[in-house]
Amino acid sequence: MDTQALWHEFKRTGDRSLRDRLILTYAPLVKYVAGRLGSGLPAHVEEGDLVSYGLLGLIGAIERFDPDRDIKFETYAIARIKGSIIDELRSMDWVPRSVRARARDIERAIAQLEAKLTRAPSDEEIANALGITEEEFQDSLLEISRTSIAALDELWASSSHGGDPVALIDTIEDPLAAEPQSAMAHTELREALGEAIARLPEREKLVVTLYYYEELTLREIGEVLGVTESRVSQLHTKAILRLKARLSATLIRATQD
């Protein structure tokens, strides 16, 4: 039985043995997603644990997927697997509060400086606004990057309508057919995201593009740019904080209109 026939037979009968065959078929997706997320996590977070969390997402994706819809299962499943892993990591609350607080401080400083300067602030300007040295600012970026998990996925996940998280970076169609108002909000947020990425400094924009769209690792991006992996990690973290600041400002303006 080919995969398509397997899907239709499973949806028709709900046979658990068919579901198990689908799980085995798509299990490499879990390993792939766990590997990508695990590359930015502390060493004490075992990849095997991430695979276990992701497997729950894969099972949920298989049970809820509609093969008749015009969307690839792999695209849908990757978002569900990521969401399952991230939800479990969040519940563990393993990121130190001091790191979360510093990330929020940097994000707030970037937003305030961009509003004042009407351009992307330099590292020196951000450091001055925070009252720290530029070297301390770079150290903070490295510390934040070591505890950042799937930053774009977290940033553009939406659960305000009670549904499953949607990774807008993947521009995934909602298979649960959310209400039109929700779909419009997602579209507007995607447009705002595109504009925010376009306004990033060139090197940060390149890092975001290579990492999230071309799926290069940080080490591979470093080889492209001719810099160390840790420097790429700093650029990635800084880009994410800029994007968060800009999208937060966009959402605030939208609620005030």
Side-chain angles (χ1 to χ4, degrees):
M1 187 182 300
D2 63 27
T3 303
Q4 193 65 23
L6 186 61
W7 267 114
H8 285 289
E9 186 64 14
F10 169 63
K11 289 301 179 180
R12 186 181 69 83
T13 65
D15 190 313
R16 290 181 64 86
S17 66
L18 296 177
R19 187 200 68 169
D20 292 344
R21 289 173 63 182
L22 287 169
I23 292 172
L24 290 175
T25 298
Y26 294 105
L29 286 178
V30 178
K31 183 72 172 178
Y32 164 75
V33 174
R36 280 187 59 80
L37 294 185
S39 64
L41 297 178
H44 71 269
V45 180
E46 298 287 343
E47 184 173 321
D49 291 338
L50 301 183
V51 170
S52 297
Y53 308 148
L55 187 59
L56 296 176
L58 174 63
I59 293 172
I62 289 173
E63 292 178 343
R64 303 184 69 171
F65 181 66
D66 182 356
D68 294 325
R69 293 185 67 87
D70 187 22
I71 181 174
K72 291 181 63 177
F73 174 74
E74 290 83 352
T75 303
Y76 173 65
I78 284 174
R80 293 295 301 267
I81 293 166
K82 287 178 180 176
S84 181
I85 294 174
I86 292 170
D87 286 346
E88 184 62 30
L89 288 172
R90 283 174 180 157
S91 70
M92 295 164 58
D93 195 23
W94 54 272
V95 179
R97 292 184 180 180
S98 60
V99 176
R100 292 189 189 276
R102 177 52 59 91
R104 287 194 296 269
D105 289 343
I106 294 175
E107 181 183 335
R108 191 178 303 113
I110 290 173
Q112 292 172 348
L113 286 170
E114 288 200 344
K116 177 181 178 180
L117 303 172
T118 66
R119 60 170 173 78
S122 67
D123 291 1
E124 182 181 2
E125 290 168 332
I126 297 171
N128 288 338
L130 293 167
I132 60 178
T133 67
E134 192 170 344
E135 182 179 359
E136 289 172 329
F137 173 61
Q138 298 298 335
D139 289 342
S140 293
L141 292 178
L142 275 179
E143 188 175 13
I144 294 167
S145 72
R146 295 190 187 105
T147 57
S148 295
I149 53 173
L152 286 178
D153 303 278
E154 179 179 355
L155 178 57
W156 291 286
S158 174
S159 56
S160 59
H161 296 276
D164 298 312
V166 178
L168 295 183
I169 192 67
D170 294 321
T171 62
I172 297 173
E173 176 188 1
D174 182 6
L176 302 179
E179 66 271 22
Q181 183 179 0
S182 175
M184 182 176 295
H186 289 168
T187 299
E188 292 173 351
L189 190 53
R190 280 196 295 269
E191 292 174 353
L193 167 59
E195 293 175 1
I197 291 175
R199 291 171 53 201
L200 288 174
E202 286 302 317
R203 286 169 73 83
E204 293 174 30
K205 187 194 308 180
L206 183 58
V207 168
V208 168
T209 301
L210 293 177
Y211 187 75
Y212 289 101
Y213 291 93
E214 301 300 329
E215 299 189 345
L216 270 64
T217 65
L218 297 182
R219 180 183 58 79
E220 291 169 336
I221 296 172
E223 292 174 356
V224 171
L225 298 180
V227 298
T228 64
E229 183 175 344
S230 63
R231 178 55 182 157
V232 175
S233 183
Q234 289 175 323
L235 289 169
H236 171 263
T237 300
K238 191 161 46 173
I240 296 305
L241 293 174
R242 287 192 202 275
L243 292 173
K244 281 190 172 184
R246 289 175 183 171
L247 287 184
S248 296
T250 299
L251 291 174
I252 291 173
R253 288 196 298 271
T255 58
Q256 293 175 342
D257 291 341

